[in-house]
Amino acid sequence: MFGRFGRFVRSAAPPSRASPGRPRRSFLGVRSVAGQVLLLQLVVVVLLIAAAVGTLVLEARGENTREARDRSMAVAETFAHAPGTAAAMTSAEPSEVLQPRAEQIRKQTGVDLIVAYSPEGIRYTHPDPDLIGEPVLGSGEVPKQAHTQIDETTEGLSVLSLVPVTTADGSTVGTVGVGITVESVSTVVNRQLPALLGGAAIVLALGTAGSALVGRRLRRQTHNLDPAEMARMYEHHDAVLHAAREGVLIVGEDGRLLLANDETRRLLGLPADAEGRSITELGLDEGLVALLTSGRSPTDELHAAGERLLAVSVRPTGPYGGLPGSVATLRDTTELEALAVRAEAARTRLKLLYDASVRIGTTLDVVRTAVELTEAAVPRFSDFASVDLLDPVLRGEEPVGLEMRRIALSGIRDDHPLYPLGRLISLAPNTLQAFGFASGRTVLEPELPAFSGWQEQDPALAEVIVGYGIHSLITVPVRARGIILGMASFWRSEKPEPFDEEDVSLVEELVALAAVSIDNARRFTREHTTAVTLQHSLLPSGLPEQDALEVAHRYLPAKAVGGDWFDVIPLPGARVALVVGDVTGHGLQAVATMGRLRTGIHNFAALDMAPDELLAGLDDLVIRIDENQPAVGDSAQITGATCLYAVYDAVTGRCTLARAGHPGPAVIRPDGTVDFPEIPASPPLGLGGLPFETAELQLPAGSRLVLFTDGLITGLDRDIDTGLDRLRGALSGVGAERSPEAICQSVVGTMLPAERSDDIALLVARTRLLDPGQVAHWEVPNDPAEVGRVRASCARQLEEWGLDVVRFTTELILSELITNAIRYGSEPIRVRLLHDRSLICEVSDGSSTSPHLRRAATTDEGGRGLFLVAQMAKRWGTRHTADGKIIWAEQVLHPGSADSADGAGKPVQEAGLPTLWDDVPAL
């Protein structure tokens, strides 16, 4: 193995030069294996030499110490047992006898110290005479027997031998101590050390030279690589041999196989002993053998190897420092091609799902969403696709039943035999669609001509479908939020491959994506239908009958219903109120608020309030709605609304208007000119605290008054100024004689935005003036006697108008109203009769006090006047003016008709009313 690894290494990093990309290292570099081995050997040699020298020094020192012990003990025993030593110690002057003798022996024997001292420790001898007579160091006790120790003396640390001096009777009279200093012993060792070190140096030199030779040889073998590089190279070598999924083989200059990894052996079917053999002997394809021995350097050249198709790349090893030869890499393109096909199929599926997610669910329309599903599948996935939904789903209702309607069908051809759009389909038992619908699972029929039961839905049609060439089918339940809404079916005819399990997973994701959008559209349809139904129930179903204005209208709801509304409200005195308004926002909340505001306007109009007062009351109503509105989250939802209220008087031709945050009207004069009159701007409803202002317009007969909401003039493609300019242009071309209906049609056709995000309410009214012959009025002096004169004048006027049938009740009503005005009111007092669709009697005075109806008791002498008026008239009421009030009473001109109130317009006796006339003094 090391030999094969060595060949691989030599081909990667030759000994003659450093490998490319790696800096050259010196032989002495410690990072290389050779350097580290050399350093390790040097350390080992030094340690061995140091150990040997230390051992020798220690042995020499120990030998010298033993010699010093023996010598000192011999001298001490000789001196202690010498004749006369004991006698001298017991003499009067021991030092005179012992000191000369001790110094002589010390010099002769080479010891450093001879000390004789008494049992009390007093020195008799010492090399330093000044210390004689001084006590010895330590305890100075007499030893019991001779011994040697290392102890501190006056000469320093010494090897000291102590021997007791005894007499003939065995008593101890002193001690002799002989010492040799440690320094003297070391001096002997030091004299031997140079010879030891010299020998160690010779050994070190020899060891270093040997290590250098070994390192040089190792450097050649390892190419001066460090251990990490060698480990990494071995790992790479092992990976190339065993782990690489690409074949690698090295061929020598002589055509022999030097190296082949496991993948190469698998791809080429090489024998176990292939390495070292000629490649011509391995049974390879001739073309591959010729390529490996040609010396060419192709890239991804295709060659056959049995049933495999290999992409072969060859490069020479010589230019990279290796031995002459070539290295080849092999890739199995057969497997790569299969993987590429699978990857392309996966990419195609993902692209289909992505494109479908972009194009499906662009609208909240059930049918359009289903069509988007079929268009996304054809022709990329199937040749035909259809969607059948339960009929209630199309109406926004919960899915029930088994009958489905085909609402989407797409195909590559139009002459298909499949059920057409709009067909109501009843699922037959045991069919694929019925099984998928009941189980909620996708059903795959890869081979339709096998007739495995799917044809039971329509056997005759099944034969036609198979004859047409449709051969494969997948049917998938359209399921959203656990509810099955219908079935989606996908068919193949011209695509030859049948549907498979991978297609099932794809189509399930595709249908699931569309099912959520279809269910969202269904829920929106339900909510939208509910809101539209509520909205239509709250809007006027028709225009009331009146003669003051010719009115036409348009109401165009957006997809998300809003709170726009309009109204035409007849008022007494040949007057009509026109209303347009807009509640901000959309949905049921806006519609409900619109209904409440419209009801409030009708109530305020019944009180005959002026436009500014009516808007003030409506503003208070919106504020109360906000106060009672429940909070959503951390804040309450604020109701916002705008309104334009106009009152047109057909007698005077005067129109009084007030607006609250709403666009002003447009006026088309009888000559066809268009004007946007200035109406004082007031804030929207619901802000409170600010007054509303009115404006008056004098409109000739034949003028067209155009009221609208902002949805007509604003949009995503224009601002309000641009919208007003376009509206002016649309109105300028209608002509002087165009009817309100024609104007509505023209304006809507011109102004309708392409993308409408808001409701549009449009009201067009052409003004009329009451003929002067239909109006009669009188000034009434403040005198009760004038009541009879005025009543007679009114009777004559009624006779001219041919209204004798209401003459009696009219005289009665006028008598009561004029008498009350004279009695309780103030001047000026006026009477006016209006002959229109009905007869209206008006009595005005300068007092602002309003009368009120009450029922008088049987004993009361008065209080029945207004009660009689209420019984005789269809309607009556009071409205305030700038200089007083007007009390009016309206009578139908055809008593007994469906429009008349019970008893209204009948004689008093026929009505069964009381005949007390206390308020009619003139009668």
Side-chain angles (χ1 to χ4, degrees):
M1 179 62 195
F2 184 79
R4 184 171 63 179
F5 178 73
R7 290 197 298 272
F8 180 74
V9 170
R10 285 197 295 274
S11 66
S16 59
R17 60 180 182 177
S19 300
R22 183 171 59 86
R24 297 188 61 182
R25 299 189 181 93
S26 68
F27 166 62
L28 297 178
V30 296
R31 293 184 59 186
S32 67
V33 173
Q36 293 184 10
V37 170
L38 174 61
L39 181 61
L40 181 60
Q41 287 179 334
L42 291 177
V43 170
V44 171
V45 170
V46 170
L47 291 177
L48 291 176
I49 293 174
V53 171
T55 302
L56 292 176
V57 170
L58 291 177
E59 288 182 356
R61 187 180 298 275
E63 183 65 27
N64 292 329
T65 301
R66 284 193 298 273
E67 182 182 352
R69 288 176 179 272
D70 295 342
R71 187 193 307 175
S72 62
M73 179 58 70
V75 174
E77 287 181 346
T78 301
F79 190 85
H81 299 308
T85 301
M89 285 187 178
T90 57
S91 65
E93 295 293 337
S95 295
E96 292 181 1
V97 178
L98 296 176
Q99 174 65 15
R101 186 185 302 176
E103 284 299 309
Q104 182 182 1
I105 295 173
R106 181 178 68 82
K107 293 176 181 179
Q108 291 176 350
T109 58
V111 297
D112 296 316
L113 181 70
I114 297 177
V115 179
Y117 56 89
S118 66
E120 292 79 16
I122 302 301
R123 293 188 184 96
Y124 298 144
T125 65
H126 195 276
D128 185 2
D130 294 335
L131 295 179
I132 296 174
E134 298 293 329
V136 299
L137 298 178
S139 61
E141 294 180 357
V142 176
K144 296 181 180 180
Q145 60 183 1
H147 68 276
T148 301
Q149 64 184 30
I150 297 176
D151 202 353
E152 187 69 30
T153 65
T154 56
E155 300 300 321
L157 189 62
S158 303
V159 178
L160 186 63
S161 296
L162 300 177
V163 178
V165 179
T166 59
T167 59
D169 57 1
S171 61
T172 302
V173 295
T175 303
V176 175
V178 178
I180 300 175
T181 63
V182 174
E183 183 179 356
S184 299
V185 176
S186 299
T187 300
V188 175
V189 175
N190 291 339
R191 287 196 300 268
Q192 299 173 350
L193 189 59
L196 295 176
L197 293 179
I202 295 173
V203 174
L204 178 61
L206 293 176
T208 302
S211 298
L213 292 176
V214 174
R216 185 176 183 86
R217 176 61 179 173
L218 185 60
R219 181 175 65 86
R220 292 195 187 99
Q221 295 293 328
T222 62
H223 301 287
N224 208 24
L225 297 176
D226 62 31
E229 288 177 328
M230 291 188 65
R232 185 167 62 252
M233 181 169 290
Y234 182 83
E235 292 169 355
H236 293 172
H237 174 266
D238 230 24
V240 170
L241 286 179
H242 306 296
R245 300 306 300 165
E246 185 170 297
V248 177
L249 60 88
I250 300 177
V251 180
E253 185 180 17
D254 56 357
R256 294 184 178 277
L257 180 63
L258 300 181
L259 178 69
N261 66 351
D262 293 348
E263 183 68 6
T264 300
R265 296 176 183 275
R266 185 183 70 85
L267 294 176
L268 300 180
L270 298 178
D273 59 345
E275 291 182 351
R277 296 170 59 183
S278 174
I279 59 174
T280 59
E281 303 173 359
L282 301 178
L284 303 180
D285 180 76
E286 294 181 0
L288 181 58
V289 172
L291 172 63
L292 296 176
T293 57
S294 64
R296 296 188 298 113
S297 300
T299 299
D300 291 340
E301 185 173 303
L302 298 179
H303 287 272
E307 296 181 355
R308 303 180 186 275
L309 187 62
L310 305 180
V312 184
S313 299
V314 181
R315 293 292 183 272
T317 58
Y320 300 95
L323 296 176
S326 60
V327 57
T329 58
L330 311 175
R331 287 186 295 111
D332 188 352
T333 59
T334 306
E335 295 182 1
L336 290 177
E337 183 177 1
L339 290 175
V341 171
R342 296 179 62 184
E344 179 62 22
R347 189 195 67 82
T348 301
R349 288 184 172 90
L350 290 176
K351 184 67 166 55
L352 174 61
L353 288 175
Y354 171 77
D355 293 342
S357 67
V358 173
R359 65 185 302 181
I360 295 176
T362 58
T363 65
L364 287 173
D365 182 84
V366 173
V367 175
R368 181 57 197 162
T369 304
V371 171
E372 290 169 346
L373 170 60
T374 60
E375 291 177 347
V378 176
R380 297 168 62 180
F381 176 73
S382 63
D383 297 321
F384 298 94
S386 63
V387 175
D388 308 322
L389 296 182
L390 294 170
D391 232 17
V393 173
L394 304 179
R395 301 188 296 269
E397 302 172 3
E398 293 296 325
V400 293
L402 293 176
E403 290 189 337
M404 300 185 187
R405 190 173 299 277
R406 178 149 294 177
I407 64 169
L409 177 61
S410 298
I412 58 175
R413 294 166 58 184
D414 296 331
D415 59 346
H416 56 80
L418 302 176
Y419 284 146
L421 286 175
R423 173 71 178 266
L424 190 62
I425 304 172
S426 297
L427 298 180
N430 301 324
T431 60
L432 298 181
Q433 288 86 350
F435 177 77
F437 183 80
S439 64
R441 293 184 293 178
T442 301
V443 180
L444 169 65
E445 183 56 64
E447 298 294 337
L448 286 178
F451 290 110
S452 57
W454 66 271
Q455 74 279 3
E456 294 182 11
Q457 177 71 33
D458 193 335
L461 181 62
E463 294 285 350
V464 176
I465 288 175
V466 173
Y468 183 79
I470 298 177
H471 60 82
S472 190
L473 165 67
I474 292 180
T475 181
V476 185
V478 181
R479 181 202 301 270
R481 301 177 178 92
I483 301 175
I484 298 179
L485 308 175
M487 299 295 293
S489 301
F490 303 87
W491 321 71
R492 280 183 179 174
S493 60
E494 295 190 1
K495 287 182 172 59
E497 63 276 7
F499 289 118
D500 55 22
E501 293 299 331
E502 291 187 357
D503 294 322
V504 170
S505 61
L506 171 64
V507 77
E508 285 179 342
E509 292 187 29
L510 188 65
V511 173
L513 176 66
V516 174
S517 298
I518 290 175
D519 190 55
N520 289 339
R522 176 187 69 86
R523 291 168 179 262
F524 172 78
T525 300
R526 180 182 61 191
E527 299 297 333
H528 186 265
T529 301
T530 303
V532 169
T533 302
L534 176 61
Q535 185 183 44
H536 287 174
S537 68
L538 295 177
L539 288 172
S541 57
L543 297 180
E545 295 183 359
Q546 46 81 32
D547 296 326
L549 296 170
E550 179 187 355
V551 181
H553 66 90
R554 289 289 187 277
Y555 182 79
L556 303 174
K559 292 184 178 180
V561 294
D564 291 19
W565 85 93
F566 67 92
D567 253 318
V568 178
I569 306 174
L571 298 176
R575 295 173 305 128
V576 177
L578 301 176
V579 188
V580 290
D582 183 7
V583 176
T584 58
H586 298 86
L588 293 177
Q589 181 66 33
V591 173
T593 302
M594 177 269 289
R596 298 172 72 176
L597 295 183
R598 183 168 175 258
T599 301
I601 289 177
H602 276 266
N603 292 335
F604 294 144
L607 299 177
D608 217 339
M609 300 174 67
D612 55 339
E613 295 176 353
L614 184 142
L615 291 183
L618 205 62
D619 185 54
D620 291 337
L621 176 60
V622 174
I623 292 175
R624 287 195 297 274
I625 291 176
D626 284 339
E627 291 175 350
N628 297 327
Q629 184 74 25
V632 179
D634 296 333
S635 60
Q637 183 178 358
I638 303 300
T639 301
T642 64
C643 183
L644 173 61
Y645 186 81
V647 177
Y648 175 70
D649 191 339
V651 178
T652 63
R654 185 179 297 111
C655 183
T656 305
L657 306 96
R659 65 187 179 117
H662 201 86
V667 176
I668 307 174
R669 301 293 177 178
D671 60 358
T673 60
V674 179
D675 183 27
F676 291 96
E678 289 291 335
I679 307 298
S682 299
L685 300 174
L687 298 181
L690 297 176
F692 297 93
E693 301 182 47
T694 61
E696 290 189 354
L697 303 177
Q698 191 65 38
L699 300 178
S703 299
R704 271 72 48 93
L705 188 64
V706 182
L707 285 70
F708 50 87
T709 56
D710 58 358
L712 182 69
I713 58 176
T714 60
L716 299 177
D717 57 342
R718 58 176 180 252
D719 57 19
I720 187 169
D721 293 330
T722 303
L724 290 175
D725 290 339
R726 291 185 59 180
L727 180 61
R728 183 189 297 274
L731 296 176
S732 298
V734 300
E737 299 300 329
R738 295 285 293 276
S739 66
E741 181 64 30
I743 294 175
C744 283
Q745 185 174 354
S746 175
V747 169
V748 169
T750 304
M751 297 293 297
L752 196 63
E755 293 291 336
R756 192 168 72 254
S757 60
D758 197 3
D759 296 2
I760 295 177
L762 175 64
L763 202 60
V764 180
R766 178 157 57 186
T767 61
R768 297 169 178 167
L769 286 177
L770 207 61
D771 188 271
Q774 296 177 273
V775 181
H777 51 82
W778 297 270
E779 296 285 340
V780 181
N782 192 7
D783 184 359
E786 294 294 324
V787 176
R789 181 185 63 81
V790 175
R791 186 171 61 243
S793 299
C794 291
R796 288 191 297 272
Q797 183 63 55
L798 293 175
E799 190 174 340
E800 291 179 9
W801 287 342
L803 300 179
D804 290 336
V805 67
V806 295
R807 175 180 173 181
F808 179 79
T809 55
T810 302
E811 290 181 1
L812 176 61
I813 290 172
L814 287 175
S815 296
E816 294 295 339
L817 296 182
I818 295 172
T819 301
N820 284 340
I822 293 174
R823 179 179 298 178
Y824 303 111
S826 61
E827 294 184 322
I829 301 173
R830 299 183 180 91
V831 175
R832 187 173 71 166
L833 293 181
L834 302 177
H835 177 206
D836 192 14
R837 187 180 296 270
S838 59
L839 179 65
I840 301 175
C841 303
E842 295 182 347
V843 177
S844 63
D845 65 79
S847 173
S848 60
T849 303
S850 298
H852 62 278
L853 179 66
R854 67 184 182 90
R855 184 179 295 272
T858 55
T859 58
D860 290 342
E861 296 182 357
R864 298 177 178 84
L866 288 179
F867 178 75
L868 291 174
V869 171
Q871 295 297 319
M872 293 296 101
K874 178 183 179 181
R875 287 184 296 271
W876 77 277
T878 303
R879 71 174 181 270
H880 293 274
T881 62
D883 53 1
K885 68 176 180 297
I886 297 175
I887 302 177
W888 56 271
E890 180 181 357
Q891 300 177 82
V892 296
L893 299 181
H894 303 284
S897 66
D899 292 335
S900 63
D902 292 339
K906 297 181 180 180
V908 175
Q909 294 82 355
E910 296 180 14
L913 299 175
T915 56
L916 299 176
W917 303 90
D918 55 330
D919 287 338
V920 194
L923 295 180

